[in-house]
Amino acid sequence: IQRNMDEIVFEEYGFASLVRVPTARLVEAGARDLIYGDEGRDPECVLVVDAGHAFTHVVPYHMGRQIASGVRRVDVGGRLLTNYLKETVSFRYWDMMDETFIMSAVKEKCCFVSQDFKRDIEATRGCVGRRRGGNPLGLEYVLPDFSTSRQGFIQGSQPDDIVTDSQLLPLCNERFAIPEALFHPSDIGIEQAGIHQAVVQAVAACPAEMHAVLLANIIVVGGSACLPGLRQRLQGEVQAQVSHRVRVFAPQDPVHWAWQNGCALATQSRARSWQVSKAQYEEMGAHRTIAHFGSIS
């Protein structure tokens, strides 16, 4: 795949140069501004948690170099959470199995990460949306009818809402039980560690002198990082398992932050050492190009 991509970029589209790096590398490249602000110094170590569409990757870096032995992957991402929500809602309320786009919007607007799962489960016992007892964690999502509205919304969030019962999707413990799969994949049949345990494992696989710095410089990005409460829950869960101080950072736009760092990097001098020009590609060949990009990941 990498060789074919290089061939398309240089031979079919004729780009003058190319930099091909994983998302985590671009996150690490912008860590200075997020962690230290205007102090102007680069962090010695960074631990990137990329909660993406298909998987969640945990990648440690030391002085800009990936520590391969510490890389971990959890097979839970945004796509799985959306499918899990679809199945749960279809079993309990409406058949939404063919409505991936709508359910993805429901997940983004309604779901959150619980800070105390057992407490919240107990608090929502017997709750179906807001129809029973006015539970504060329950809500009703107004599904789009595609005649008067193409976007769904939470009932009460817009003035003068006029909807029918057939448009209402009640949600209660689904709001936080679905994202809980990030921390307990075994609940849905995936026998893997949760993302907090993957972080601890990744740090433990790195040299001992790096542990404190890695734990103090954790950056979480990706679509699932937009879930309210994820950063706080991850920090608390990791802190409960280690003795060093834990700090978890999340940018304001976790989805596009790696891309924004890539745009900024393209204007900097250090990007020149990362890139391969068309002339170099033609001289070195595909295999040496792949090796070059692998050395900067």
Side-chain angles (χ1 to χ4, degrees):
I1 293 176
Q2 294 174 345
R3 183 167 54 251
N4 290 341
M5 176 185 172
D6 295 342
E7 181 179 331
I8 291 171
V9 168
F10 286 121
E11 298 182 17
E12 184 171 342
Y13 291 105
F15 277 81
S17 60
L18 169 69
V19 174
R20 174 164 49 76
V21 291
T23 300
R25 185 66 182 90
L26 294 176
V27 172
E28 188 276 337
R32 174 177 61 184
D33 294 335
L34 185 63
I35 296 175
Y36 294 122
D38 297 330
E39 292 185 24
R41 60 190 179 106
D42 291 318
E44 180 182 346
C45 298
V46 175
L47 187 70
V48 178
V49 180
D50 182 11
H53 178 65
F55 308 104
T56 297
H57 290 93
V58 180
V59 187
Y61 284 90
H62 173 249
M63 302 300 290
R65 295 289 182 179
Q66 182 189 108
I67 306 174
S69 61
V71 177
R72 295 293 184 272
R73 189 184 84 177
V74 180
D75 294 340
V76 178
R79 179 178 59 193
L80 185 144
L81 297 181
T82 299
N83 291 337
Y84 184 22
L85 181 60
K86 280 196 306 182
E87 294 176 4
T88 303
V89 166
S90 297
F91 177 76
R92 295 180 179 179
Y93 310 119
W94 304 107
D95 183 4
M96 303 295 290
M97 291 304 294
D98 295 328
E99 303 294 347
T100 301
F101 178 80
I102 292 177
M103 294 312 300
S104 180
V106 172
K107 178 192 70 177
E108 293 169 4
K109 294 177 182 178
C110 301
C111 288
F112 66 93
V113 176
S114 171
Q115 303 305 304
D116 189 333
F117 184 72
K118 291 183 178 179
R119 179 198 63 196
D120 289 342
I121 280 288
E122 189 63 30
T124 55
R125 189 177 300 276
C127 166
V128 179
R130 284 186 173 151
R131 296 180 180 179
R132 295 185 184 177
N135 194 291
L137 295 178
L139 56 79
E140 290 175 327
Y141 187 82
V142 181
L143 299 170
D145 58 12
F146 296 104
S147 59
T148 61
S149 64
R150 293 187 175 274
Q151 295 288 333
F153 56 90
I154 299 172
Q155 188 178 34
S157 63
Q158 298 186 13
D160 302 325
D161 295 343
I162 301 176
V163 297
T164 63
D165 284 345
S166 62
Q167 284 181 258
L168 294 178
L169 176 64
L171 296 168
C172 204
N173 62 26
E174 300 88 358
R175 297 181 61 202
F176 57 87
I178 301 303
E180 191 67 17
L182 287 165
F183 293 90
H184 296 97
S186 59
D187 291 349
I188 55 175
I190 300 177
E191 298 302 326
Q192 289 184 334
I195 60 172
H196 60 299
Q197 295 165 321
V199 166
V200 175
Q201 293 172 6
V203 171
C206 299
E209 59 271 18
M210 298 181 188
H211 290 184
V213 186
L214 284 169
L215 289 167
N217 295 334
I218 300 174
I219 300 177
V220 58
V221 295
S224 296
C226 296
L227 290 168
L230 178 68
R231 185 192 65 81
Q232 296 87 338
R233 172 72 179 277
L234 179 60
Q235 180 168 307
E237 293 282 0
V238 175
Q239 187 66 79
Q241 299 186 47
V242 300
S243 57
H244 298 291
R245 180 192 179 196
V246 176
R247 296 187 305 172
V248 178
F249 300 89
Q252 290 186 347
D253 186 359
V255 176
H256 300 106
W257 201 60
W259 178 81
Q260 292 167 355
N261 288 338
C263 292
L265 185 66
T267 64
Q268 299 175 10
S269 59
R270 63 171 168 169
R272 298 192 186 98
S273 64
W274 292 14
Q275 70 185 22
V276 170
S277 67
K278 190 172 187 293
Q280 290 173 320
Y281 168 77
E282 293 172 346
E283 178 184 349
M284 296 190 304
H287 293 291
R288 290 184 61 188
T289 302
I290 291 173
H292 169 77
F293 288 136
S295 68
I296 62 174
S297 63

